[in-house]
Amino acid sequence: MIPDTRSIIPDSSPVAPRPMVPPCPTPSAPDAPAFPPPPGGFRNPTTMHSRPAGDFMEHILAVARAEPVSASQIADIGEEVAEAEPIPECHIAPRELPAGTLLHGYRVQRCIGGGGFGVTYLAQESLLNRTVVIKESFPDSICYREEGSLDVRMHDPESGQDGYNWAMSNFLREVRLLATLDHPCIAKVYSYFEEHNTAYYVVEFINGVSLDKLAAQHAEKGIPIPQSSLFGLIVRLLDALDYLHGRKLLHRDIKPDNILITRAGLPVIIDFGAAREAYGDLSNNIVETPGFSPAEQSTPNGNMGPWTDIYALGATLYYTLTGTCLPPAKQRQIYDTADPLSTNTSLLSTYHPALLASIDRAISPLPEHRYQTIADWMRDLASTHL
Ligand SMILES: Nc1ncnc2c1ncn2[C@@H]1O[C@H](COP(=O)(O)OP(=O)(O)O)[C@@H](O)[C@H]1O
Ligand SMILES: [Mg+2]
């Protein structure tokens, strides 16, 4: 798991790299058909090399939007997820609510995550008998939970009040934003409530594993994620980001452990704590994860837009393919030590150069060298002469 290095204070500490993904034991030729065919095959049964761009676009959008494609396309990922271990328990005592706590009709099962701003629990909704995830607002620099009490208290009620109010309103903003979204690759919010002197929201439980873990499993076994599976994931994630950006929203914290892969192989984006309006300025706080966030995100009043999430998705894919985080983005702008994926011979034995080159472009240190919109990225995938 990637350590949670997300902070509101720019931090350039490197994230420990994982070993490189070893080369595929049964490499396919670099110019083998790059992307999987849609169900029933392409309408024009020519090779990928001579296919007109329109067909590619149609195919890409079909993969992104049409449900029937997903099952066959990413079935192998789904099988791996089914084998994977359940979400590990996480202890951040004395902050967390104890297992068994009854909270507004939900029975807390265990704590599954905790960052600087909140705690995440797995819980059972008693009435509907379903598993849910509950997020609790808990800015740990300001608040604590006394042993034996469920209430959240401020260390210093006078100096902490502003921070507490900010955290509560930011939390409500996060849930309101999530409540407006309806996309198969974005976790759905069910409800919001206030209790124990703090706030909670209930969100759909995604039964799967993080992309981080999935990539680690592949690295451990020495088997790269198959190109068709990777492509299915990329296109779906692009579609989800396109959906967000179309609503003028930025996620701002795309990284491998904020993407869960379901048992059906569908990637689902979670953790909208850092999301904000792309062109408004509702929350201009600096929130970044070194290795995944682009430079403009750690710059006060940095010019953020779709290219900001595009960098983070590219960095996520870079990590997924290499097992290594990119160096901090500001450092890359001065001297870039990251090797392009499209010249990595090991990766080229499994993935099409155009697919790797598109990720390279997404992670360009300078925003103007990246795709400016998700549609640009999709169009590039569609129109490249593969
Ligand atoms: N909807 C969900 N379904 C399943 N697991 C989840 C869900 N939301 C969060 N988790 C798990 O809880 C962890 C922490 O949640 P997250 O929303 O990422 O908060 P943070 O990273 O701020 O602690 C995630 O890494 C994931 O393992
Ligand atoms: Mg997270």
Side-chain angles (χ1 to χ4, degrees):
M1 163 140 176
I2 300 169
D4 186 5
T5 50
R6 196 177 71 178
S7 64
I8 52 169
I9 301 156
D11 171 7
S12 57
S13 56
V15 176
R18 284 206 323 254
M20 290 282 285
V21 178
C24 176
T26 51
S28 55
D31 62 348
F35 304 141
F42 286 99
R43 280 188 313 173
N44 175 1
T46 54
T47 66
M48 299 289 280
H49 296 265
S50 57
R51 196 172 317 290
D55 267 12
F56 275 114
M57 193 55 164
E58 207 175 276
H59 168 44
I60 283 175
L61 292 176
V63 173
R65 301 207 169 98
E67 275 311 306
V69 184
S70 68
S72 60
Q73 187 135 75
I74 39 186
D76 44 351
I77 290 263
E79 275 165 31
E80 289 168 47
V81 171
E83 285 171 15
E85 295 161 28
I87 309 171
E89 199 156 345
C90 160
H91 284 294
I92 42 171
R95 260 202 297 161
E96 76 210 45
L97 288 170
T101 303
L102 194 60
L103 188 66
H104 219 79
Y106 302 92
R107 174 85 56 190
V108 171
Q109 289 178 326
R110 58 198 165 90
C111 174
I112 55 170
F117 303 101
V119 186
T120 308
Y121 303 94
L122 200 64
Q124 196 67 18
E125 184 169 4
S126 313
L127 199 61
L128 300 183
N129 197 21
R130 66 174 171 180
T131 304
V132 295
V133 164
I134 299 183
K135 297 206 66 169
E136 176 182 58
S137 173
F138 201 121
D140 66 353
S141 56
I142 307 167
C143 295
Y144 71 103
R145 181 172 264 130
E146 245 176 289
E147 229 182 313
S149 164
L150 301 180
D151 289 349
V152 170
R153 296 188 200 286
M154 271 181 273
H155 291 294
D156 179 350
E158 254 178 54
S159 65
Q161 192 65 49
D162 284 353
Y164 174 86
N165 292 347
W166 177 88
M168 288 289 273
S169 62
N170 201 48
F171 191 78
L172 182 56
R173 199 176 59 80
E174 174 183 344
V175 63
R176 280 188 171 145
L177 187 153
L178 258 179
T180 65
L181 306 177
D182 180 16
H183 189 282
C185 299
I186 296 174
K188 286 176 187 44
V189 70
Y190 295 145
S191 61
Y192 168 90
F193 58 92
E194 292 180 14
E195 220 169 287
H196 302 309
N197 200 30
T198 190
Y200 299 84
Y201 73 78
V202 185
V203 66
E204 175 189 11
F205 168 60
I206 307 299
N207 196 358
V209 296
S210 67
L211 183 54
D212 179 38
K213 267 204 209 134
L214 193 83
Q217 279 171 22
H218 275 270
E220 239 167 64
K221 291 182 195 162
I223 303 169
I225 294 175
Q227 175 166 263
S228 59
S229 307
L230 182 76
F231 182 67
L233 293 180
I234 294 177
V235 169
R236 287 175 170 278
L237 290 168
L238 288 177
D239 193 54
L241 286 182
D242 193 42
Y243 173 86
L244 269 188
H245 297 169
R247 276 151 192 76
K248 302 222 179 309
L249 297 171
L250 297 178
H251 184 278
R252 295 205 307 166
D253 202 15
I254 296 291
K255 57 183 178 182
D257 51 6
N258 281 340
I259 296 172
L260 302 180
I261 315 293
T262 70
R263 283 161 190 263
L266 196 72
V268 180
I269 299 175
I270 57 165
D271 201 353
F272 281 69
R276 63 164 244 184
E277 292 193 25
Y279 311 105
D281 192 20
L282 285 185
S283 114
N284 204 24
N285 56 320
I286 290 179
V287 182
E288 64 148 7
T289 302
F292 296 98
S293 309
E296 67 270 19
Q297 204 166 319
S298 50
T299 308
N301 299 315
N303 182 23
M304 286 185 260
W307 50 88
T308 306
D309 282 341
I310 283 172
Y311 182 96
L313 178 59
T316 296
L317 296 170
Y318 183 96
Y319 179 86
T320 305
L321 293 179
T322 64
T324 314
C325 289
L326 283 171
K330 278 201 166 167
Q331 186 183 309
R332 292 187 65 219
Q333 285 190 339
I334 300 163
Y335 181 67
D336 191 10
T337 52
D339 293 325
L341 298 178
S342 50
T343 57
N344 179 320
T345 46
S346 163
L347 292 176
L348 283 168
S349 66
T350 304
Y351 305 106
H352 197 285
L355 184 58
L356 298 175
S358 79
I359 301 172
D360 285 335
R361 179 156 174 205
I363 55 173
S364 300
L366 293 175
E368 57 271 30
H369 293 168
R370 290 175 220 149
Y371 299 113
Q372 296 299 291
T373 65
I374 294 290
D376 286 347
W377 191 342
M378 281 196 176
R379 209 172 294 124
D380 202 18
L381 286 177
S383 64
T384 320
H385 296 291
L386 300 169

